[in-house]
PDB file of all heavy atoms in Angstrom:
ATOM      1  N   VAL B  14       0.820  -1.188   0.007  1.00 98.00           N
ATOM      2  CA  VAL B  14       0.045   0.046   0.004  1.00 98.00           C
ATOM      3  C   VAL B  14       0.849   1.231   0.007  1.00 98.00           C
ATOM      4  O   VAL B  14       1.996   1.232   0.519  1.00 98.00           O
ATOM      5  CB  VAL B  14      -0.929   0.067   1.222  1.00 98.00           C
ATOM      6  CG1 VAL B  14      -2.067  -1.030   1.136  1.00 98.00           C
ATOM      7  CG2 VAL B  14      -0.202  -0.115   2.516  1.00 98.00           C
ATOM      8  N   VAL B  15       0.291   2.348  -0.618  1.00 98.00           N
ATOM      9  CA  VAL B  15       1.053   3.641  -0.630  1.00 98.00           C
ATOM     10  C   VAL B  15      -0.017   4.684  -0.282  1.00 98.00           C
ATOM     11  O   VAL B  15      -1.250   4.475  -0.314  1.00 98.00           O
ATOM     12  CB  VAL B  15       1.564   3.945  -2.021  1.00 98.00           C
ATOM     13  CG1 VAL B  15       2.662   2.942  -2.453  1.00 98.00           C
ATOM     14  CG2 VAL B  15       0.400   3.876  -3.094  1.00 98.00           C
ATOM     15  N   PRO B  16       0.419   5.905   0.132  1.00 97.00           N
ATOM     16  CA  PRO B  16      -0.542   6.973   0.442  1.00 97.00           C
ATOM     17  C   PRO B  16      -1.298   7.311  -0.797  1.00 97.00           C
ATOM     18  O   PRO B  16      -0.807   7.099  -1.970  1.00 97.00           O
ATOM     19  CB  PRO B  16       0.427   8.127   0.896  1.00 97.00           C
ATOM     20  CG  PRO B  16       1.668   7.450   1.307  1.00 97.00           C
ATOM     21  CD  PRO B  16       1.828   6.272   0.432  1.00 97.00           C
ATOM     22  N   LYS B  17      -2.471   7.834  -0.601  1.00 95.00           N
ATOM     23  CA  LYS B  17      -3.368   8.212  -1.793  1.00 95.00           C
ATOM     24  C   LYS B  17      -2.706   9.171  -2.756  1.00 95.00           C
ATOM     25  O   LYS B  17      -3.055   9.033  -3.972  1.00 95.00           O
ATOM     26  CB  LYS B  17      -4.660   8.737  -1.221  1.00 95.00           C
ATOM     27  CG  LYS B  17      -4.526  10.082  -0.579  1.00 95.00           C
ATOM     28  CD  LYS B  17      -5.804  10.713  -0.215  1.00 95.00           C
ATOM     29  CE  LYS B  17      -5.637  12.173   0.468  1.00 95.00           C
ATOM     30  NZ  LYS B  17      -6.934  12.771   0.823  1.00 95.00           N
ATOM     31  N   ASP B  18      -1.859  10.096  -2.265  1.00 95.00           N
ATOM     32  CA  ASP B  18      -1.273  11.034  -3.244  1.00 95.00           C
ATOM     33  C   ASP B  18       0.179  10.660  -3.640  1.00 95.00           C
ATOM     34  O   ASP B  18       0.853  11.476  -4.280  1.00 95.00           O
ATOM     35  CB  ASP B  18      -1.165  12.384  -2.568  1.00 95.00           C
ATOM     36  CG  ASP B  18      -0.506  12.455  -1.177  1.00 95.00           C
ATOM     37  OD1 ASP B  18      -0.083  11.309  -0.765  1.00 95.00           O
ATOM     38  OD2 ASP B  18      -0.229  13.490  -0.623  1.00 95.00           O
ATOM     39  N   SER B  19       0.552   9.398  -3.443  1.00 97.00           N
ATOM     40  CA  SER B  19       1.900   8.899  -3.806  1.00 97.00           C
ATOM     41  C   SER B  19       2.031   8.921  -5.405  1.00 97.00           C
ATOM     42  O   SER B  19       1.096   8.512  -6.045  1.00 97.00           O
ATOM     43  CB  SER B  19       2.090   7.550  -3.276  1.00 97.00           C
ATOM     44  OG  SER B  19       3.297   6.951  -3.836  1.00 97.00           O
ATOM     45  N   PRO B  20       3.225   9.255  -5.822  1.00 96.00           N
ATOM     46  CA  PRO B  20       3.437   9.135  -7.328  1.00 96.00           C
ATOM     47  C   PRO B  20       3.516   7.653  -7.773  1.00 96.00           C
ATOM     48  O   PRO B  20       3.464   7.404  -8.950  1.00 96.00           O
ATOM     49  CB  PRO B  20       4.790   9.871  -7.535  1.00 96.00           C
ATOM     50  CG  PRO B  20       5.471   9.722  -6.198  1.00 96.00           C
ATOM     51  CD  PRO B  20       4.433   9.865  -5.163  1.00 96.00           C
ATOM     52  N   ILE B  21       3.717   6.828  -6.785  1.00 97.00           N
ATOM     53  CA  ILE B  21       3.712   5.386  -7.125  1.00 97.00           C
ATOM     54  C   ILE B  21       2.273   4.855  -7.290  1.00 97.00           C
ATOM     55  O   ILE B  21       1.545   4.775  -6.332  1.00 97.00           O
ATOM     56  CB  ILE B  21       4.427   4.569  -6.087  1.00 97.00           C
ATOM     57  CG1 ILE B  21       5.902   5.042  -5.905  1.00 97.00           C
ATOM     58  CG2 ILE B  21       4.373   3.114  -6.300  1.00 97.00           C
ATOM     59  CD1 ILE B  21       6.625   4.404  -4.704  1.00 97.00           C
ATOM     60  N   LYS B  22       1.925   4.614  -8.504  1.00 96.00           N
ATOM     61  CA  LYS B  22       0.479   4.209  -8.796  1.00 96.00           C
ATOM     62  C   LYS B  22       0.400   2.675  -8.925  1.00 96.00           C
ATOM     63  O   LYS B  22      -0.668   2.142  -8.805  1.00 96.00           O
ATOM     64  CB  LYS B  22      -0.029   4.912 -10.078  1.00 96.00           C
ATOM     65  CG  LYS B  22       0.163   6.391 -10.026  1.00 96.00           C
ATOM     66  CD  LYS B  22      -0.659   7.011  -8.884  1.00 96.00           C
ATOM     67  CE  LYS B  22      -0.547   8.552  -8.999  1.00 96.00           C
ATOM     68  NZ  LYS B  22      -1.290   9.221  -7.870  1.00 96.00           N
ATOM     69  N   THR B  23       1.441   1.996  -9.362  1.00 97.00           N
ATOM     70  CA  THR B  23       1.394   0.601  -9.652  1.00 97.00           C
ATOM     71  C   THR B  23       2.602  -0.038  -9.151  1.00 97.00           C
ATOM     72  O   THR B  23       3.577   0.566  -8.787  1.00 97.00           O
ATOM     73  CB  THR B  23       1.345   0.376 -11.206  1.00 97.00           C
ATOM     74  OG1 THR B  23       2.586   0.791 -11.795  1.00 97.00           O
ATOM     75  CG2 THR B  23       0.191   1.027 -11.841  1.00 97.00           C
ATOM     76  N   TRP B  24       2.635  -1.416  -9.191  1.00 97.00           N
ATOM     77  CA  TRP B  24       3.832  -2.175  -8.757  1.00 97.00           C
ATOM     78  C   TRP B  24       4.997  -1.854  -9.672  1.00 97.00           C
ATOM     79  O   TRP B  24       6.135  -1.729  -9.187  1.00 97.00           O
ATOM     80  CB  TRP B  24       3.554  -3.690  -8.808  1.00 97.00           C
ATOM     81  CG  TRP B  24       4.739  -4.549  -8.501  1.00 97.00           C
ATOM     82  CD1 TRP B  24       5.501  -5.170  -9.429  1.00 97.00           C
ATOM     83  CD2 TRP B  24       5.284  -4.737  -7.226  1.00 97.00           C
ATOM     84  NE1 TRP B  24       6.506  -5.848  -8.771  1.00 97.00           N
ATOM     85  CE2 TRP B  24       6.436  -5.603  -7.491  1.00 97.00           C
ATOM     86  CE3 TRP B  24       5.054  -4.365  -5.910  1.00 97.00           C
ATOM     87  CZ2 TRP B  24       7.269  -6.045  -6.399  1.00 97.00           C
ATOM     88  CZ3 TRP B  24       5.828  -4.774  -4.900  1.00 97.00           C
ATOM     89  CH2 TRP B  24       6.923  -5.605  -5.096  1.00 97.00           C
ATOM     90  N   GLN B  25       4.744  -1.707 -10.910  1.00 96.00           N
ATOM     91  CA  GLN B  25       5.791  -1.383 -11.886  1.00 96.00           C
ATOM     92  C   GLN B  25       6.465  -0.022 -11.531  1.00 96.00           C
ATOM     93  O   GLN B  25       7.619   0.197 -11.646  1.00 96.00           O
ATOM     94  CB  GLN B  25       5.279  -1.332 -13.340  1.00 96.00           C
ATOM     95  CG  GLN B  25       4.870  -2.776 -13.858  1.00 96.00           C
ATOM     96  CD  GLN B  25       3.448  -3.096 -13.637  1.00 96.00           C
ATOM     97  OE1 GLN B  25       2.802  -2.531 -12.713  1.00 96.00           O
ATOM     98  NE2 GLN B  25       2.859  -3.932 -14.478  1.00 96.00           N
ATOM     99  N   ASP B  26       5.600   0.932 -11.084  1.00 97.00           N
ATOM    100  CA  ASP B  26       6.109   2.254 -10.659  1.00 97.00           C
ATOM    101  C   ASP B  26       7.100   2.085  -9.457  1.00 97.00           C
ATOM    102  O   ASP B  26       8.095   2.739  -9.373  1.00 97.00           O
ATOM    103  CB  ASP B  26       4.976   3.146 -10.213  1.00 97.00           C
ATOM    104  CG  ASP B  26       4.145   3.621 -11.449  1.00 97.00           C
ATOM    105  OD1 ASP B  26       4.605   3.552 -12.612  1.00 97.00           O
ATOM    106  OD2 ASP B  26       2.984   4.162 -11.164  1.00 97.00           O
ATOM    107  N   PHE B  27       6.696   1.205  -8.551  1.00 97.00           N
ATOM    108  CA  PHE B  27       7.499   0.926  -7.397  1.00 97.00           C
ATOM    109  C   PHE B  27       8.880   0.370  -7.774  1.00 97.00           C
ATOM    110  O   PHE B  27       9.893   0.868  -7.290  1.00 97.00           O
ATOM    111  CB  PHE B  27       6.764  -0.003  -6.410  1.00 97.00           C
ATOM    112  CG  PHE B  27       7.612  -0.468  -5.228  1.00 97.00           C
ATOM    113  CD1 PHE B  27       8.336   0.439  -4.439  1.00 97.00           C
ATOM    114  CD2 PHE B  27       7.643  -1.797  -4.913  1.00 97.00           C
ATOM    115  CE1 PHE B  27       9.036   0.028  -3.379  1.00 97.00           C
ATOM    116  CE2 PHE B  27       8.385  -2.274  -3.806  1.00 97.00           C
ATOM    117  CZ  PHE B  27       9.129  -1.298  -3.054  1.00 97.00           C
ATOM    118  N   VAL B  28       8.869  -0.601  -8.690  1.00 96.00           N
ATOM    119  CA  VAL B  28      10.129  -1.233  -9.120  1.00 96.00           C
ATOM    120  C   VAL B  28      10.979  -0.189  -9.801  1.00 96.00           C
ATOM    121  O   VAL B  28      12.174  -0.069  -9.573  1.00 96.00           O
ATOM    122  CB  VAL B  28       9.820  -2.346 -10.090  1.00 96.00           C
ATOM    123  CG1 VAL B  28      11.105  -2.936 -10.672  1.00 96.00           C
ATOM    124  CG2 VAL B  28       9.058  -3.511  -9.362  1.00 96.00           C
ATOM    125  N   ALA B  29      10.375   0.635 -10.669  1.00 96.00           N
ATOM    126  CA  ALA B  29      11.140   1.632 -11.391  1.00 96.00           C
ATOM    127  C   ALA B  29      11.743   2.713 -10.436  1.00 96.00           C
ATOM    128  O   ALA B  29      12.826   3.100 -10.510  1.00 96.00           O
ATOM    129  CB  ALA B  29      10.225   2.315 -12.454  1.00 96.00           C
ATOM    130  N   ALA B  30      10.875   3.137  -9.467  1.00 96.00           N
ATOM    131  CA  ALA B  30      11.321   4.198  -8.544  1.00 96.00           C
ATOM    132  C   ALA B  30      12.499   3.664  -7.620  1.00 96.00           C
ATOM    133  O   ALA B  30      13.364   4.396  -7.266  1.00 96.00           O
ATOM    134  CB  ALA B  30      10.117   4.614  -7.632  1.00 96.00           C
ATOM    135  N   SER B  31      12.444   2.423  -7.340  1.00 96.00           N
ATOM    136  CA  SER B  31      13.503   1.828  -6.495  1.00 96.00           C
ATOM    137  C   SER B  31      14.911   1.811  -7.136  1.00 96.00           C
ATOM    138  O   SER B  31      15.892   1.734  -6.486  1.00 96.00           O
ATOM    139  CB  SER B  31      13.107   0.427  -6.067  1.00 96.00           C
ATOM    140  OG  SER B  31      13.372  -0.515  -7.147  1.00 96.00           O
ATOM    141  N   LYS B  32      14.828   1.852  -8.473  1.00 94.00           N
ATOM    142  CA  LYS B  32      16.139   1.892  -9.247  1.00 94.00           C
ATOM    143  C   LYS B  32      16.655   3.333  -9.368  1.00 94.00           C
ATOM    144  O   LYS B  32      17.797   3.504  -9.862  1.00 94.00           O
ATOM    145  CB  LYS B  32      15.892   1.237 -10.541  1.00 94.00           C
ATOM    146  CG  LYS B  32      15.537  -0.284 -10.433  1.00 94.00           C
ATOM    147  CD  LYS B  32      15.324  -0.874 -11.835  1.00 94.00           C
ATOM    148  CE  LYS B  32      14.916  -2.347 -11.563  1.00 94.00           C
ATOM    149  NZ  LYS B  32      14.613  -3.059 -12.838  1.00 94.00           N
ATOM    150  N   GLN B  33      15.791   4.301  -9.069  1.00 95.00           N
ATOM    151  CA  GLN B  33      16.169   5.688  -9.239  1.00 95.00           C
ATOM    152  C   GLN B  33      16.589   6.439  -7.941  1.00 95.00           C
ATOM    153  O   GLN B  33      17.337   7.329  -7.965  1.00 95.00           O
ATOM    154  CB  GLN B  33      15.014   6.429  -9.957  1.00 95.00           C
ATOM    155  CG  GLN B  33      14.773   5.944 -11.340  1.00 95.00           C
ATOM    156  CD  GLN B  33      13.462   6.527 -11.933  1.00 95.00           C
ATOM    157  OE1 GLN B  33      12.776   7.276 -11.289  1.00 95.00           O
ATOM    158  NE2 GLN B  33      13.138   6.162 -13.195  1.00 95.00           N
ATOM    159  N   ARG B  34      16.019   5.958  -6.852  1.00 95.00           N
ATOM    160  CA  ARG B  34      16.221   6.583  -5.599  1.00 95.00           C
ATOM    161  C   ARG B  34      16.058   5.614  -4.436  1.00 95.00           C
ATOM    162  O   ARG B  34      15.451   4.559  -4.655  1.00 95.00           O
ATOM    163  CB  ARG B  34      15.346   7.813  -5.360  1.00 95.00           C
ATOM    164  CG  ARG B  34      13.839   7.486  -5.338  1.00 95.00           C
ATOM    165  CD  ARG B  34      12.970   8.727  -5.375  1.00 95.00           C
ATOM    166  NE  ARG B  34      11.603   8.500  -5.420  1.00 95.00           N
ATOM    167  CZ  ARG B  34      10.778   8.203  -4.332  1.00 95.00           C
ATOM    168  NH1 ARG B  34      11.284   8.359  -3.168  1.00 95.00           N
ATOM    169  NH2 ARG B  34       9.474   8.047  -4.535  1.00 95.00           N
ATOM    170  N   ASP B  35      16.563   5.932  -3.287  1.00 95.00           N
ATOM    171  CA  ASP B  35      16.377   4.999  -2.101  1.00 95.00           C
ATOM    172  C   ASP B  35      15.015   5.146  -1.619  1.00 95.00           C
ATOM    173  O   ASP B  35      14.492   6.196  -1.295  1.00 95.00           O
ATOM    174  CB  ASP B  35      17.412   5.460  -1.005  1.00 95.00           C
ATOM    175  CG  ASP B  35      18.871   5.201  -1.437  1.00 95.00           C
ATOM    176  OD1 ASP B  35      19.058   4.320  -2.239  1.00 95.00           O
ATOM    177  OD2 ASP B  35      19.771   5.915  -0.910  1.00 95.00           O
ATOM    178  N   LEU B  36      14.347   3.986  -1.384  1.00 97.00           N
ATOM    179  CA  LEU B  36      12.947   3.957  -0.895  1.00 97.00           C
ATOM    180  C   LEU B  36      12.904   3.185   0.411  1.00 97.00           C
ATOM    181  O   LEU B  36      13.834   2.453   0.729  1.00 97.00           O
ATOM    182  CB  LEU B  36      12.053   3.207  -1.885  1.00 97.00           C
ATOM    183  CG  LEU B  36      11.879   3.856  -3.277  1.00 97.00           C
ATOM    184  CD1 LEU B  36      11.011   2.950  -4.113  1.00 97.00           C
ATOM    185  CD2 LEU B  36      11.335   5.223  -3.195  1.00 97.00           C
ATOM    186  N   THR B  37      11.879   3.432   1.270  1.00 97.00           N
ATOM    187  CA  THR B  37      11.699   2.758   2.466  1.00 97.00           C
ATOM    188  C   THR B  37      10.399   2.060   2.445  1.00 97.00           C
ATOM    189  O   THR B  37       9.375   2.552   2.009  1.00 97.00           O
ATOM    190  CB  THR B  37      11.708   3.727   3.627  1.00 97.00           C
ATOM    191  OG1 THR B  37      10.754   4.778   3.433  1.00 97.00           O
ATOM    192  CG2 THR B  37      13.061   4.385   3.876  1.00 97.00           C
ATOM    193  N   ILE B  38      10.409   0.796   2.988  1.00 98.00           N
ATOM    194  CA  ILE B  38       9.155   0.022   3.092  1.00 98.00           C
ATOM    195  C   ILE B  38       9.019  -0.376   4.557  1.00 98.00           C
ATOM    196  O   ILE B  38       9.882  -0.870   5.239  1.00 98.00           O
ATOM    197  CB  ILE B  38       9.229  -1.218   2.157  1.00 98.00           C
ATOM    198  CG1 ILE B  38       7.926  -1.992   2.363  1.00 98.00           C
ATOM    199  CG2 ILE B  38      10.469  -2.138   2.496  1.00 98.00           C
ATOM    200  CD1 ILE B  38       7.715  -3.087   1.351  1.00 98.00           C
ATOM    201  N   GLY B  39       7.795  -0.043   5.054  1.00 97.00           N
ATOM    202  CA  GLY B  39       7.517  -0.416   6.392  1.00 97.00           C
ATOM    203  C   GLY B  39       6.622  -1.654   6.531  1.00 97.00           C
ATOM    204  O   GLY B  39       5.833  -1.972   5.781  1.00 97.00           O
ATOM    205  N   SER B  40       6.892  -2.392   7.668  1.00 96.00           N
ATOM    206  CA  SER B  40       6.063  -3.562   7.983  1.00 96.00           C
ATOM    207  C   SER B  40       6.434  -4.056   9.399  1.00 96.00           C
ATOM    208  O   SER B  40       7.076  -3.310  10.130  1.00 96.00           O
ATOM    209  CB  SER B  40       6.257  -4.651   6.940  1.00 96.00           C
ATOM    210  OG  SER B  40       5.191  -5.592   7.039  1.00 96.00           O
ATOM    211  N   PHE B  41       6.096  -5.319   9.732  1.00 91.00           N
ATOM    212  CA  PHE B  41       6.342  -5.771  11.082  1.00 91.00           C
ATOM    213  C   PHE B  41       7.766  -6.168  11.343  1.00 91.00           C
ATOM    214  O   PHE B  41       8.638  -6.139  10.458  1.00 91.00           O
ATOM    215  CB  PHE B  41       5.344  -6.982  11.324  1.00 91.00           C
ATOM    216  CG  PHE B  41       3.998  -6.619  11.694  1.00 91.00           C
ATOM    217  CD1 PHE B  41       2.995  -6.510  10.704  1.00 91.00           C
ATOM    218  CD2 PHE B  41       3.597  -6.269  12.938  1.00 91.00           C
ATOM    219  CE1 PHE B  41       1.667  -6.156  10.945  1.00 91.00           C
ATOM    220  CE2 PHE B  41       2.326  -5.935  13.307  1.00 91.00           C
ATOM    221  CZ  PHE B  41       1.385  -5.848  12.327  1.00 91.00           C
ATOM    222  N   SER B  42       7.979  -6.591  12.561  1.00 89.00           N
ATOM    223  CA  SER B  42       9.304  -6.846  13.061  1.00 89.00           C
ATOM    224  C   SER B  42      10.130  -7.831  12.249  1.00 89.00           C
ATOM    225  O   SER B  42       9.615  -8.663  11.476  1.00 89.00           O
ATOM    226  CB  SER B  42       9.225  -7.390  14.521  1.00 89.00           C
ATOM    227  OG  SER B  42       8.502  -6.469  15.331  1.00 89.00           O
ATOM    228  N   ILE B  43      11.488  -7.732  12.453  1.00 90.00           N
ATOM    229  CA  ILE B  43      12.414  -8.653  11.736  1.00 90.00           C
ATOM    230  C   ILE B  43      12.074 -10.121  12.135  1.00 90.00           C
ATOM    231  O   ILE B  43      11.798 -10.384  13.267  1.00 90.00           O
ATOM    232  CB  ILE B  43      13.838  -8.302  12.180  1.00 90.00           C
ATOM    233  CG1 ILE B  43      14.266  -6.861  11.737  1.00 90.00           C
ATOM    234  CG2 ILE B  43      14.753  -9.304  11.632  1.00 90.00           C
ATOM    235  CD1 ILE B  43      14.285  -6.690  10.255  1.00 90.00           C
ATOM    236  N   GLY B  44      12.114 -10.957  11.141  1.00 89.00           N
ATOM    237  CA  GLY B  44      11.851 -12.389  11.369  1.00 89.00           C
ATOM    238  C   GLY B  44      10.396 -12.790  11.277  1.00 89.00           C
ATOM    239  O   GLY B  44      10.113 -13.998  11.357  1.00 89.00           O
ATOM    240  N   THR B  45       9.454 -11.845  11.158  1.00 90.00           N
ATOM    241  CA  THR B  45       8.032 -12.198  11.068  1.00 90.00           C
ATOM    242  C   THR B  45       7.724 -12.580   9.553  1.00 90.00           C
ATOM    243  O   THR B  45       8.542 -12.327   8.705  1.00 90.00           O
ATOM    244  CB  THR B  45       7.172 -10.974  11.388  1.00 90.00           C
ATOM    245  OG1 THR B  45       7.473  -9.871  10.488  1.00 90.00           O
ATOM    246  CG2 THR B  45       7.442 -10.524  12.825  1.00 90.00           C
ATOM    247  N   ALA B  46       6.554 -13.115   9.372  1.00 91.00           N
ATOM    248  CA  ALA B  46       6.153 -13.497   7.987  1.00 91.00           C
ATOM    249  C   ALA B  46       6.226 -12.273   7.031  1.00 91.00           C
ATOM    250  O   ALA B  46       6.502 -12.449   5.863  1.00 91.00           O
ATOM    251  CB  ALA B  46       4.725 -14.008   8.069  1.00 91.00           C
ATOM    252  N   PHE B  47       5.818 -11.069   7.559  1.00 94.00           N
ATOM    253  CA  PHE B  47       5.885  -9.961   6.730  1.00 94.00           C
ATOM    254  C   PHE B  47       7.274  -9.660   6.223  1.00 94.00           C
ATOM    255  O   PHE B  47       7.492  -9.362   5.072  1.00 94.00           O
ATOM    256  CB  PHE B  47       5.337  -8.706   7.514  1.00 94.00           C
ATOM    257  CG  PHE B  47       3.844  -8.768   7.810  1.00 94.00           C
ATOM    258  CD1 PHE B  47       3.411  -9.400   8.961  1.00 94.00           C
ATOM    259  CD2 PHE B  47       2.880  -8.186   6.909  1.00 94.00           C
ATOM    260  CE1 PHE B  47       2.061  -9.464   9.198  1.00 94.00           C
ATOM    261  CE2 PHE B  47       1.537  -8.278   7.229  1.00 94.00           C
ATOM    262  CZ  PHE B  47       1.134  -8.884   8.335  1.00 94.00           C
ATOM    263  N   HIS B  48       8.248  -9.665   7.107  1.00 95.00           N
ATOM    264  CA  HIS B  48       9.621  -9.429   6.717  1.00 95.00           C
ATOM    265  C   HIS B  48      10.148 -10.455   5.694  1.00 95.00           C
ATOM    266  O   HIS B  48      10.666 -10.128   4.714  1.00 95.00           O
ATOM    267  CB  HIS B  48      10.468  -9.501   8.039  1.00 95.00           C
ATOM    268  CG  HIS B  48      11.966  -9.340   7.766  1.00 95.00           C
ATOM    269  ND1 HIS B  48      12.979  -9.936   8.468  1.00 95.00           N
ATOM    270  CD2 HIS B  48      12.604  -8.602   6.728  1.00 95.00           C
ATOM    271  CE1 HIS B  48      14.080  -9.590   7.990  1.00 95.00           C
ATOM    272  NE2 HIS B  48      13.972  -8.803   6.999  1.00 95.00           N
ATOM    273  N   LEU B  49       9.840 -11.780   5.965  1.00 94.00           N
ATOM    274  CA  LEU B  49      10.298 -12.758   5.017  1.00 94.00           C
ATOM    275  C   LEU B  49       9.590 -12.732   3.704  1.00 94.00           C
ATOM    276  O   LEU B  49      10.199 -12.929   2.641  1.00 94.00           O
ATOM    277  CB  LEU B  49      10.108 -14.158   5.611  1.00 94.00           C
ATOM    278  CG  LEU B  49      11.230 -14.706   6.558  1.00 94.00           C
ATOM    279  CD1 LEU B  49      12.535 -14.813   5.778  1.00 94.00           C
ATOM    280  CD2 LEU B  49      11.443 -13.755   7.781  1.00 94.00           C
ATOM    281  N   VAL B  50       8.318 -12.379   3.656  1.00 95.00           N
ATOM    282  CA  VAL B  50       7.607 -12.173   2.381  1.00 95.00           C
ATOM    283  C   VAL B  50       8.148 -11.070   1.581  1.00 95.00           C
ATOM    284  O   VAL B  50       8.345 -11.160   0.303  1.00 95.00           O
ATOM    285  CB  VAL B  50       6.080 -11.996   2.617  1.00 95.00           C
ATOM    286  CG1 VAL B  50       5.402 -11.483   1.370  1.00 95.00           C
ATOM    287  CG2 VAL B  50       5.357 -13.253   3.090  1.00 95.00           C
ATOM    288  N   TRP B  51       8.554  -9.941   2.326  1.00 97.00           N
ATOM    289  CA  TRP B  51       9.134  -8.835   1.616  1.00 97.00           C
ATOM    290  C   TRP B  51      10.479  -9.263   0.979  1.00 97.00           C
ATOM    291  O   TRP B  51      10.791  -8.988  -0.188  1.00 97.00           O
ATOM    292  CB  TRP B  51       9.348  -7.706   2.541  1.00 97.00           C
ATOM    293  CG  TRP B  51      10.423  -6.734   2.055  1.00 97.00           C
ATOM    294  CD1 TRP B  51      11.635  -6.482   2.616  1.00 97.00           C
ATOM    295  CD2 TRP B  51      10.365  -5.975   0.800  1.00 97.00           C
ATOM    296  NE1 TRP B  51      12.334  -5.599   1.770  1.00 97.00           N
ATOM    297  CE2 TRP B  51      11.601  -5.286   0.729  1.00 97.00           C
ATOM    298  CE3 TRP B  51       9.502  -5.794  -0.218  1.00 97.00           C
ATOM    299  CZ2 TRP B  51      11.921  -4.386  -0.345  1.00 97.00           C
ATOM    300  CZ3 TRP B  51       9.799  -4.970  -1.313  1.00 97.00           C
ATOM    301  CH2 TRP B  51      11.042  -4.283  -1.320  1.00 97.00           C
ATOM    302  N   GLU B  52      11.324  -9.939   1.701  1.00 96.00           N
ATOM    303  CA  GLU B  52      12.625 -10.360   1.214  1.00 96.00           C
ATOM    304  C   GLU B  52      12.467 -11.323   0.061  1.00 96.00           C
ATOM    305  O   GLU B  52      13.223 -11.227  -0.902  1.00 96.00           O
ATOM    306  CB  GLU B  52      13.456 -11.024   2.386  1.00 96.00           C
ATOM    307  CG  GLU B  52      13.816 -10.062   3.562  1.00 96.00           C
ATOM    308  CD  GLU B  52      14.810  -8.944   3.156  1.00 96.00           C
ATOM    309  OE1 GLU B  52      15.299  -8.993   2.063  1.00 96.00           O
ATOM    310  OE2 GLU B  52      14.978  -8.035   3.962  1.00 96.00           O
TER     311      GLU B  52
END
């Protein structure tokens, strides 16, 4: 999920933006299912 006014509109936008600048992704603690799914 992204904020409603984010320039990232699609997953492809996210992938492209990550190659152009440093991004941050938030979720649950290290070692949780959320962390491993992200990795």
